[in-house]
Amino acid sequence: MNILLVSNDVSRAVRSITIGWRQMVLAALVGILLFMICSLGINYGILKWAWATQQPWLQTMALAEQRKESARAQEKLQGHLSAMAVRLGELQAQSAKLDALSEHLAKAVGMTEKEIPKANGQGGIEVMPKAFTASELGELIDELTLKLTVQNDHFHVFDGLLLENSANRRFLPTQLPVAGTSWRSSDFGYRVDPFTGMKAFHEGIDFSANPGTPVIAAASGRVTRAGVHPQYGKIVEIDHGNGLMTRYAHNSDLLVNEGDLVVRGQAVALVGSTGRSTGPHLHFEVRLNGVAQNPARFFNMAEAG
């Protein structure tokens, strides 16, 4: 674009100004920017005046926006609560299946109808359903957690009863491991350690006996260890199957070798005081899947039988 500037003074030459497309675009952008700034300034002024004079229409607009934001937040929260409620329903259904399995196991171990723990029955028709609140969901989750804890306890009891009923008595360590005596110098559980004087957990039962007294297998099984241990001294370990293992420690002499098959009541060692010991005795342990059990539990089975 060319612009000619003509002066009244004929002595002056005609001047020409050339405007390119870049200058035109820049001018247009500057114009748009100025228009937007003016518009924003006017709107700000109007809103400031309306707020200062407490115009009803401005308050209505603000409240409407607040309601929309609150509705969006409430909808999002309700979506999370609904998802939690669905998951809670699934857990309750799984708990009901566990109740049925628990009853089946109870019958399998020979419990009577009165002894079987009953689940709380549920049913009825659905009348005017409504969404759960957060506090209601929290209460239901607490109730379900307690119920699952009780069910877990029931399954532990059934596991022990099934072990007792399914395993042959010959492979349960119910035989006292020292011939001619049942006197215990230390029971299973916490005690004062004879060496340190500190509180310590004792994972077996100590039977006091004279040196050379026969140590007998509490149940039939296979010898998995027969040797010397720095703490247990001369030690024998017997695997009885089903995760059960017995340990006989502090012996003066061993009468079996690793890999030998032994029968319930067979002599496997002689009482001594080897290893970490204060005097002649037998340290006897029962372990189930590697976890120490109270041997008295198995001795009580023999007395009850």
Side-chain angles (χ1 to χ4, degrees):
M1 176 184 292
N2 294 325
I3 299 177
L4 298 177
L5 298 178
V6 181
S7 175
N8 290 330
D9 188 354
V10 294
S11 63
R12 293 182 179 180
V14 176
R15 287 189 294 177
S16 174
I17 299 176
T18 302
I19 300 177
W21 65 271
R22 290 185 177 85
Q23 289 79 3
M24 294 179 64
V25 170
L26 180 61
L29 290 175
V30 171
I32 293 172
L33 181 60
L34 291 174
F35 176 77
M36 290 176 64
I37 292 173
C38 291
S39 298
L40 289 174
I42 293 172
N43 288 334
Y44 175 76
I46 293 174
L47 289 174
K48 187 174 182 180
W49 168 79
W51 182 261
T53 57
Q54 296 294 314
Q55 294 297 318
W57 62 269
L58 180 61
Q59 295 180 1
T60 302
M61 287 176 58
L63 288 174
E65 186 61 30
Q66 290 177 0
R67 290 193 186 98
K68 288 181 181 179
E69 185 63 28
S70 176
R72 284 193 293 267
Q74 184 66 27
E75 183 179 358
K76 187 175 181 179
L77 174 62
Q78 197 58 53
H80 289 309
L81 291 177
S82 298
M84 288 176 62
V86 170
R87 182 57 182 156
L88 179 62
E90 293 174 351
L91 291 174
Q92 288 174 333
Q94 293 178 9
S95 178
K97 292 180 181 179
L98 289 177
D99 283 333
L101 178 59
S102 176
E103 184 173 351
H104 175 73
L105 288 174
K107 292 179 179 179
V109 298
M111 296 181 69
T112 64
E113 192 68 25
K114 292 182 179 180
E115 295 173 326
I116 297 176
K118 300 296 182 183
N120 295 324
Q122 295 182 341
I125 61 174
E126 190 176 66
V127 180
M128 298 181 64
K130 60 179 182 179
F132 286 106
T133 64
S135 61
E136 289 172 338
L137 273 178
E139 291 175 1
L140 288 174
I141 290 173
D142 289 340
E143 291 176 5
L144 181 58
T145 300
L146 178 61
K147 183 178 181 182
L148 290 174
T149 300
V150 172
Q151 286 177 329
N152 184 58
D153 292 340
H154 289 165
F155 279 116
H156 277 297
V157 172
F158 297 150
D159 180 62
L161 291 172
L162 284 172
L163 174 63
E164 178 184 355
N165 291 344
S166 62
N168 191 295
R169 285 283 181 172
R170 292 178 303 143
F171 298 97
L172 286 177
T174 55
Q175 173 73 49
L176 288 174
V178 179
T181 182
S182 60
W183 190 71
R184 306 170 187 176
S185 56
S186 185
D187 282 320
F188 179 88
Y190 283 100
R191 67 172 185 177
V192 176
D193 188 279
F195 288 92
T196 65
M198 305 291 287
K199 181 180 179 181
F201 192 84
H202 188 228
E203 296 186 323
I205 293 179
D206 290 344
F207 293 90
S208 288
N210 293 325
T213 302
V215 174
I216 59 179
S220 300
R222 183 174 64 87
V223 178
T224 55
R225 182 172 185 174
V228 180
H229 186 278
Q231 302 292 324
Y232 289 113
K234 292 184 178 181
I235 183 176
V236 173
E237 292 180 357
I238 302 175
D239 180 12
H240 306 286
N242 295 311
L244 277 173
M245 181 270 282
T246 52
R247 176 176 290 161
Y248 312 77
H250 306 307
N251 304 289
S252 61
D253 198 8
L254 305 181
L255 305 180
V256 292
N257 297 307
E258 185 175 330
D260 288 352
L261 296 177
V262 297
V263 296
R264 173 189 174 91
Q266 176 181 337
V268 296
L270 300 177
V271 170
S273 185
T274 57
R276 193 174 183 267
S277 171
T278 60
H281 73 286
L282 169 71
H283 172 82
F284 175 68
E285 291 183 14
V286 177
R287 291 183 176 268
L288 177 61
N289 296 321
V291 180
Q293 308 291 314
N294 188 348
R297 168 193 171 193
F298 295 90
F299 301 150
N300 293 336
M301 286 182 185
E303 294 173 1

